[in-house]
Amino acid sequence: MASVAISTALWSFALVVGLLTLTPGLDTALILRTAALGRRKRAWGVVLGIQTGTLLWGALTSLGVTALLTASHVAYEVLRWAGAAYLLWMGARMFIDTWRGRSAAGADEAEALTGTDKALAGWRQGMLTNLLNPKVGVFYVAVLPQFIPAGAPHLGMGLLLTGVHILLGLTWSALLIVFARVLRGWLQRPQARRVLDRITGTVIVGFGLRLAASK
């Protein structure tokens, strides 16, 4: 009976987070842009960074730590403003550089050509983007406990459910990276690279403003 309850919980949770994963958002924009520039290692770094953040949120929720975000207004506000500032800085820098003639896309391409396309920088960017978004923590606090069957070990089941989310995220991210290779021919043109950076920068700034304005 317990195995049936666990199986049902896993499939139900997979449906919920699967729809969330497929919804275009900040993660999709970062992965597509990085991969479209030919920076495959950094793109996978971004993916792994995002999933590292997801794992930490899931573990902290299972331990009850992230309940502080819902219980403490100050803790939530500090994290919310830090996340908004980070997104605004990242998006604005990407956008402004294109007007100054220092296309971030061009710089990224130069990095890739000189052999400095490192996964670590992408991992750091992906993890910070995920961890500085308090809405991810609140989502886990609100949703994860609902899928833990009565009597199941809270930490173990929480990590198992988080693993499902990570697996779906990795699968979808791999498809995004493959799709982004189609854009590489178009991105050989400097004007196209500037357009990509302006679009991505605007999207990131939009998410930052949305986070700053949220309650």
Side-chain angles (χ1 to χ4, degrees):
M1 194 69 176
S3 61
V4 174
I6 291 175
S7 178
T8 302
L10 289 175
W11 282 107
S12 301
F13 186 73
L15 177 62
V16 172
V17 296
L19 293 173
L20 180 66
T21 301
L22 293 175
T23 303
L26 178 61
D27 293 348
T28 301
L30 284 176
I31 294 168
L32 277 176
R33 174 191 176 269
T34 308
L37 294 172
R39 307 188 68 196
R40 188 171 59 180
K41 291 181 180 179
R42 178 160 183 147
W44 275 110
V46 171
V47 171
L48 294 177
I50 292 169
Q51 301 312 324
T52 299
T54 300
L55 177 61
L56 289 174
W57 280 121
L60 291 174
T61 301
S62 302
L63 292 170
V65 177
T66 50
L68 291 173
L69 288 177
T70 57
S72 172
H73 178 71
V74 174
Y76 181 86
E77 287 298 299
V78 169
L79 191 58
R80 179 169 72 89
W81 282 109
Y86 176 71
L87 293 179
L88 290 173
W89 170 79
M90 181 169 58
R93 188 185 66 171
M94 188 182 302
F95 189 87
I96 293 172
D97 281 351
T98 65
W99 292 102
R100 291 179 176 174
R102 293 189 300 112
S103 171
D108 286 342
E109 185 174 302
E111 258 187 62
L113 292 175
T114 55
T116 57
D117 177 20
K118 301 295 185 180
L120 182 59
W123 176 82
R124 186 166 53 245
Q125 183 183 43
M127 186 175 67
L128 282 175
T129 301
N130 187 282
L131 290 179
L132 289 176
N133 186 355
K135 291 189 175 183
V136 180
V138 172
F139 169 81
Y140 263 82
V141 169
V143 174
L144 194 69
Q146 299 182 41
F147 291 90
I148 298 180
H154 205 86
L155 178 60
M157 188 64 192
L159 291 177
L160 184 59
L161 291 169
T162 304
V164 171
H165 191 183
I166 290 173
L167 180 60
L168 291 174
L170 289 173
T171 302
W172 177 241
S173 297
L175 293 175
L176 288 177
I177 290 174
V178 170
F179 171 73
R181 293 179 64 88
V182 178
L183 301 177
R184 287 198 62 190
W186 177 68
L187 288 171
Q188 295 299 315
R189 295 176 293 174
Q191 180 62 31
R193 292 196 296 268
R194 286 193 292 271
V195 169
L196 176 65
D197 267 1
R198 288 171 187 173
I199 292 174
T200 308
T202 302
V203 169
I204 293 174
V205 167
F207 276 103
L209 292 174
R210 181 179 177 183
L211 182 59
S214 65
K215 300 296 183 181

